[in-house]
Amino acid sequence: MRGRNKPWAKDFINEHQNLLYDKNIYDNREKTLEIGIGKGDFIIANAKANPDKLHIGVEMNTSIFAMAMKKVVNEGLNNVLLLNILAKDLFEFIDECSISSIYLNFSDPWPQNGYRKRRLVHPLHLEVFEKLLLDKGKIYFKTDNLPLFEMGISNFKTRNYDILFLEYDYQLSNDDYMSEYERKFRMMNIPIYRAIASIDKNKLMPWNEAIK
């Protein structure tokens, strides 16, 4: 996702360091992780609906990250913390076996074949997610891009994930929320694809036997 540079972004982030997630600060709440929060609509709605959980949001674009942070500040939420990092750097900031759910909402599909490894459903990322998740943790995967969706489902099955939900014309459920992208796509009548996969760590094959 790209966005215009916001000259105020870095100063705003520096002024709100209290909203940056720090794994060294103990917090016993159940933790969810959204990777690619965009402008923050989904994580804010999820946090309001689940006030007992700590919702961690990751966004690599600094200007868009600051826009999401401003929304969190304006909403006065105390159960959302954010990270302005790349997905590949998650291990530096989040402990293994600490996350109950990972949300992948309308991730960049990186359609060029040369960029396959950048897709968040590529095995290189799934290996990271499996380590971050608790046993029986879930990945919630939602996209408007059919090739990306099919790649994700194929890799989930190869990794022996339990597919709990699979829908190729997904209509929003009561316990799910829209990002700004999903709202736009639905207004354009673009189909939405969604899957929920659970990870039983006893069923996973060693990574040296998995697709790469």
Side-chain angles (χ1 to χ4, degrees):
M1 177 173 54
R2 298 183 181 274
R4 293 182 179 179
N5 181 56
K6 305 295 182 184
W8 52 268
K10 291 184 178 180
D11 287 341
F12 187 85
I13 294 169
N14 288 334
E15 291 169 7
H16 295 88
Q17 294 286 305
N18 61 305
L19 290 181
L20 299 181
Y21 180 71
D22 184 345
K23 69 178 182 180
N24 297 310
I25 298 176
Y26 177 73
D27 192 312
N28 65 356
R29 287 177 289 183
E30 179 182 340
K31 298 174 181 65
T32 75
L33 174 65
E34 184 185 357
I35 303 174
I37 62 172
K39 297 177 182 177
D41 287 9
F42 177 88
I43 197 170
I44 287 172
N46 200 16
K48 287 181 176 179
N50 298 279
D52 56 323
K53 299 179 182 180
L54 176 62
H55 304 266
I56 305 168
V58 171
E59 174 57 51
M60 68 177 184
N61 183 297
T62 300
S63 291
I64 294 172
F65 176 86
M67 294 170 69
M69 178 179 272
K70 180 178 279 190
K71 288 184 180 180
V72 173
V73 171
N74 291 340
E75 293 286 347
L77 296 170
N78 64 2
N79 63 335
V80 176
L81 294 174
L82 306 172
L83 287 168
N84 182 205
I85 62 172
L86 297 172
K88 69 180 182 65
D89 297 327
L90 283 167
F91 271 147
E92 296 179 31
F93 297 89
I94 299 176
D95 286 331
E96 290 190 29
C97 300
S98 64
I99 302 296
S100 65
S101 301
I102 290 177
Y103 295 90
L104 308 177
N105 292 317
F106 302 92
S107 309
D108 192 329
W110 295 104
Q112 305 94 326
N113 283 332
Y115 291 137
R116 287 178 62 86
K117 292 183 179 180
R118 297 189 184 185
R119 299 170 191 167
L120 291 183
V121 291
H122 187 277
L124 291 175
H125 284 110
L126 295 183
E127 183 175 10
V128 174
F129 301 161
E130 289 172 14
K131 292 177 180 177
L132 294 178
L133 283 167
L134 296 163
D135 190 32
K136 305 298 177 63
K138 296 181 178 66
I139 295 177
Y140 293 78
F141 176 37
K142 192 161 47 169
T143 182
D144 64 306
N145 187 283
L146 183 57
L148 181 69
F149 189 68
E150 291 180 334
M151 174 185 176
I153 298 304
S154 175
N155 288 345
F156 291 173
K157 291 179 178 178
T158 298
R159 293 296 299 145
N160 290 329
Y161 296 178
D162 294 318
I163 308 296
L164 306 179
F165 181 91
L166 181 64
E167 181 60 64
Y168 282 80
D169 186 16
Y170 171 61
Q171 305 303 313
L172 197 69
S173 59
N174 292 333
D175 60 347
D176 188 23
Y177 314 99
M178 285 195 288
S179 66
E180 62 274 9
Y181 274 116
E182 181 170 356
R183 190 171 292 109
K184 179 181 72 173
F185 293 145
R186 289 193 181 279
M187 289 179 64
M188 298 169 62
N189 294 317
I190 294 175
I192 305 298
Y193 313 104
R194 189 187 192 223
I196 303 173
S198 176
I199 295 175
D200 183 337
K201 296 193 176 185
N202 292 321
K203 294 168 58 176
L204 298 176
M205 69 181 73
W207 269 103
N208 58 6
E209 297 176 16
I211 55 174
K212 283 287 189 180

